[in-house]
Amino acid sequence: MTWYNVQLFLLMLVAVFIGLFIGCRLRAWWEPQDAERRGVFKGLSSAFSGGAAKISAGAETVREKAAETAADAKTGAKSAVATAKTKAADAKADAEKAKADAEKKANAAADKAKADARKAKDDAAKKAKAAADATKKKAADARDKVSAAAKSVAGKVKDEAQAVAKSARTEVKDLSDEEAAERLAALPDDATPEQKADAVGARPAGLVSPDAGGADDLKRIRGIGKVNEKKLNDVGIYHFRQIAAWTAPEVRWVGTFLAFAGRIEREDWIGQAKVLAEGGDTAFSKRVDDGDVPSSKG
């Protein structure tokens, strides 16, 4: 609005100057004429001057009104800005309050969800523990039953095996060296070690597998190396107590099977086995334990 008023004022000034210029030119042109013409010229000049004055006065009035309008507009703009700031501040306060309320509700909901989740977890853990304990108890009961049944069966099998072994021991007599030599001479040349052993002695009762604690280290007996230990394991001899219980026919059977006739007696395998079966040590077993016997390593 202000720039428009300035332009209008400038246009009016230009019009005044143009009027003055035209008046001056006309006056210069009319001066040589007679007095009547000069009178006409003066009248026209006065008219132009009065018009210019009126135009200037109107322009001033317009400028003043424009200034008033601009002042009113500026005051209105300031009022509008103040109102807008007030509304913006109110809106900001409302937004912050709404945000605070939303955060408070969200935090409350999150806390409740955590508490519910923790409770659900605890409940699930308790149920899982109870189920695991019940399963564990059932498994333990079943294991005890199986163990009891296995012990019962093992006891019966052991008793039967001992009875059979005792019966076999009573039926097989101990041969003399001459009788054993005669029986071996009667066998074919391609007879196996077991066939030769069966011809002169009684096969010791063997086990299908070692006891639960594992096989004994038979190499701790002087005279038994890695090769003989494997052969004894192949016929079910795994423990010192088995060797300690051999009879004379069983000793002859093992000696013939291992092709060590008379060595078991000379090295006293049975005596060593009795000591080791009772948890004791022999001078040789100590050397084996210390790693001083190369043939007994591994």
Side-chain angles (χ1 to χ4, degrees):
M1 179 65 76
T2 303
W3 178 241
Y4 172 77
N5 293 331
V6 171
Q7 288 179 328
L8 182 60
F9 178 73
L10 292 175
L11 288 174
M12 289 180 178
L13 289 178
V14 170
V16 170
F17 282 119
I18 292 173
L20 293 173
F21 177 76
I22 294 173
C24 291
R25 296 300 296 173
L26 289 174
R27 184 177 180 180
W29 182 72
W30 284 105
E31 279 182 353
Q33 305 300 324
D34 55 12
E36 185 179 354
R37 288 182 178 179
R38 284 195 297 270
V40 173
F41 174 77
K42 288 180 180 179
L44 290 174
S45 179
S46 297
F48 275 113
S49 297
K54 290 181 180 181
I55 291 173
S56 178
E60 181 65 23
T61 301
V62 171
R63 187 183 66 78
E64 291 176 355
K65 288 184 178 180
E68 292 176 359
T69 303
D72 294 340
K74 185 176 181 181
T75 302
K78 287 182 179 180
S79 177
V81 169
T83 303
K85 286 183 179 180
T86 302
K87 291 182 178 180
D90 294 340
K92 183 178 180 181
D94 293 340
E96 289 178 352
K97 184 176 181 302
K99 181 180 178 181
D101 293 341
E103 289 179 352
K104 185 176 179 181
K105 291 181 180 179
N107 291 335
D111 293 339
K112 185 177 182 303
K114 286 181 180 179
D116 294 342
R118 190 180 300 108
K119 184 176 182 301
K121 183 180 179 181
D122 293 341
D123 293 341
K126 289 180 181 178
K127 291 181 181 179
K129 187 176 183 301
D133 292 341
T135 303
K136 186 177 180 180
K137 186 176 183 304
K138 289 182 180 179
D141 294 341
R143 184 172 60 252
D144 293 340
K145 290 180 180 179
V146 171
S147 178
K151 287 181 180 179
S152 177
V153 172
K156 291 181 180 178
V157 172
K158 183 178 180 181
D159 293 341
E160 292 176 359
Q162 288 177 347
V164 171
K166 183 177 181 181
S167 175
R169 290 174 184 174
T170 57
E171 292 176 0
V172 178
K173 70 175 184 177
D174 185 21
L175 302 177
S176 64
D177 293 341
E178 291 76 11
E179 290 174 329
E182 289 178 0
R183 290 191 180 188
L184 290 175
L187 293 175
D189 294 338
D190 59 350
T192 65
E194 288 191 39
Q195 291 173 337
K196 293 178 181 180
D198 290 339
V200 298
R203 181 175 184 140
L207 300 175
V208 177
S209 61
D211 293 345
D216 292 332
D217 184 3
L218 301 183
K219 298 187 297 297
R220 298 179 72 206
I221 295 176
R222 183 166 58 88
I224 300 179
K226 290 184 288 186
V227 175
N228 285 338
E229 182 182 47
K230 185 178 184 307
K231 289 182 178 180
L232 291 172
N233 291 162
D234 290 341
V235 295
I237 307 300
Y238 296 100
H239 302 285
F240 299 131
R241 59 180 171 76
Q242 292 176 276
I243 298 175
W246 284 349
T247 62
E250 292 171 340
V251 170
R252 187 178 292 277
W253 189 97
V254 176
T256 303
F257 175 72
L258 298 177
F260 280 170
R263 183 171 180 178
I264 296 175
E265 297 89 334
R266 290 193 305 273
E267 295 177 340
D268 192 19
W269 286 15
I270 294 176
Q272 295 181 68
K274 287 180 179 180
V275 174
L276 296 173
E278 293 176 356
D281 292 313
T282 65
F284 182 79
S285 69
K286 291 180 180 179
R287 291 177 56 208
V288 172
D289 295 340
D290 293 337
D292 296 333
V293 183
S295 61
S296 299
K297 293 181 180 180

